[in-house]
Amino acid sequence: MPFTATPIVGGDAFDQACRIGQEADRQLALIDDFAGQLACLRRHWDSLAGLGWLAVAVPEEAGGAGGTLSDLAALAGGAGRGGLPLPIASACGVIPHLLADQPELLPGLAEGQHRIAFVPAEAAVDEATDVPRLALDGSLTGAVVGIETPPDPTHLLLVLDGAEPVLLLLPASARGIAARHYLRIDGRLAADWRFTGVAVEPCWILGRGEVVTRRAAEAREIGALLTCVEAVSAAGALLEQTIDYLLNRVQFGVPLASHQALRHRVAEMYVEYENLRGLILQALRAAGAGDGLSWRDIAFAKLRLGEAGRFIAQSAIQCHGGIGMTEALPAIRLARRIMMAEFEFGDRTFHAQRLLNAGRGAA
């Protein structure tokens, strides 16, 4: 029988985000060159800025909406269902949180003038020696790969780990910064950044020490939770599309849904989806209860996303058969997005280690 996924946080913002995502997905499916894809993503980014998405988490006194985590979850959920390939979690949640004590930057952030790529302390590197470092003379060296970016980023927001953590906001055009831009497998913009003796000006340093460590940890939890909301919403849409395909696709005179093996696989997908949705809903409710973000709830949800999300995505492709390996259906793009979401703001290995360490400490 047909299935309709229930949003974790519904409403007008969810519906609007879903419509925009579906429109962007349809347009991008017809473009096969990088320049055209970049132009399409830039148009949609500017549209989001005009609609006030980037201002949701910015305080009202700084020109924002002063929204809650629930408001952000509605946008992330709608974007996930519609397959919008833009960095909603980092742009709308993570970066505003990291810049919350920088009132002079917030209006430009809310209006979309600053397009910031976020580089976390745990960003991937090709070699251990490439980990970004700030030398005593104030020069920045290193390189990171696979950093999700907005279209045509104007700035980079870096968290540098070490004896004294540092938060940096660098102009992307600064001398010594080089980038290679490309699309990930899920259609999102990414870049490899290299820093070669970048002379860091004092005004680029936004914070040092424990306050940076604490705020970066909070931002990671926000990003992980919003990514989970986005991914489970995409999984719900993917499950809907898979069931609809099996009900309507006829082979040898019968619908594919009449085959027991496929029905069993869809039932397993549904169970995994509902379990994952329940964990994410619990984490979101705990965050909205006034006690702050529960890192344990978020870690469990992110850990389960890496397992259940991959199963749902791979099963959907198998149920679609050969067409599931093509660009003909939105399902394949949703599947790739769900699988990529595992690696954002800590993969399942990272969160499993956090939970294991906490268990050992309590023993």
Side-chain angles (χ1 to χ4, degrees), residues 67-354:
T68 64
L69 188 60
S70 180
D71 297 321
L72 291 173
L75 292 178
R81 179 177 176 83
L84 180 63
L86 288 171
I88 301 303
S90 61
C92 300
V94 172
I95 293 173
H97 184 80
L98 286 169
L99 299 182
D101 58 352
Q102 305 292 327
E104 71 281 3
L105 297 174
L106 294 177
L109 183 67
E111 296 169 5
Q113 297 174 1
H114 306 321
R115 298 182 299 280
I116 302 175
F118 174 56
V119 182
E122 61 274 13
V125 296
D126 284 333
E127 302 288 344
T129 55
D130 284 340
V131 174
R133 293 181 176 86
L134 190 61
L136 294 178
D137 63 358
S139 62
L140 176 67
T141 59
V144 292
V145 298
I147 302 301
E148 187 178 12
T149 74
D152 303 322
T154 60
H155 294 78
L156 287 83
L157 185 62
L158 288 82
V159 178
L160 302 183
D161 211 350
E164 186 184 41
V166 180
L167 181 65
L168 298 176
L169 183 65
L170 309 176
S173 59
R175 186 174 182 179
I177 298 179
R180 182 178 71 89
H181 297 271
Y182 51 90
L183 291 184
R184 304 190 319 195
I185 64 170
D186 58 352
R188 296 198 169 208
L189 284 170
D192 300 340
W193 297 92
R194 178 164 293 278
F195 312 106
T196 307
V198 180
V200 176
E201 299 183 10
C203 62
W204 297 353
I205 300 176
L206 304 184
R208 293 180 180 270
E210 293 183 3
V211 64
V212 173
T213 301
R214 175 182 56 81
R215 193 173 287 275
E218 294 170 350
R220 184 182 60 225
E221 307 301 352
I222 292 172
L225 181 54
L226 293 177
T227 298
C228 284
V229 172
E230 181 185 349
V232 78
S233 185
L238 182 58
L239 185 55
E240 288 181 24
Q241 293 176 23
T242 301
I243 293 174
D244 182 70
Y245 178 79
L246 295 178
L247 288 172
N248 292 283
R249 175 65 170 171
V250 175
Q251 287 187 342
F252 302 105
V254 296
L256 289 177
S258 64
H259 296 288
Q260 191 176 47
L262 293 175
R263 295 169 71 93
H264 285 177
R265 178 55 65 92
V266 170
E268 293 171 349
M269 292 169 62
Y270 174 76
V271 171
E272 294 287 358
Y273 163 74
E274 287 292 351
N275 286 336
L276 176 60
R277 184 178 182 278
L279 285 173
I280 296 171
L281 183 58
Q282 168 60 27
L284 191 61
R285 284 175 175 170
D291 299 327
L293 295 169
S294 169
W295 76 264
R296 289 179 184 271
D297 288 339
I298 295 172
F300 272 118
K302 198 64 167 59
L303 173 63
R304 194 71 193 115
L305 171 62
E307 299 166 345
R310 184 170 293 271
F311 174 81
I312 293 170
Q314 292 177 343
S315 296
I317 293 173
Q318 291 175 351
C319 287
H320 279 83
I323 200 172
M325 298 299 293
T326 73
E327 296 292 327
L329 299 175
I332 181 61
R333 296 186 287 278
L334 289 174
R336 290 194 299 236
R337 172 59 195 143
I338 294 168
M339 289 190 285
M340 283 297 296
E342 172 192 346
F343 302 101
E344 297 173 3
F345 304 103
D347 61 11
R348 54 179 159 177
T349 302
F350 173 84
H351 289 284
Q353 190 62 53
R354 295 176 73 195

Side-chain angles (χ1 to χ4, degrees), residues 12-33:
D12 292 341
F14 176 92
D15 294 337
Q16 181 187 65
C18 183
R19 287 194 301 271
I20 293 174
Q22 291 171 341
E23 179 184 355
D25 182 73
R26 285 192 296 268
Q27 293 176 2
L28 288 168
L30 302 175
I31 304 173
D32 57 6
D33 65 288

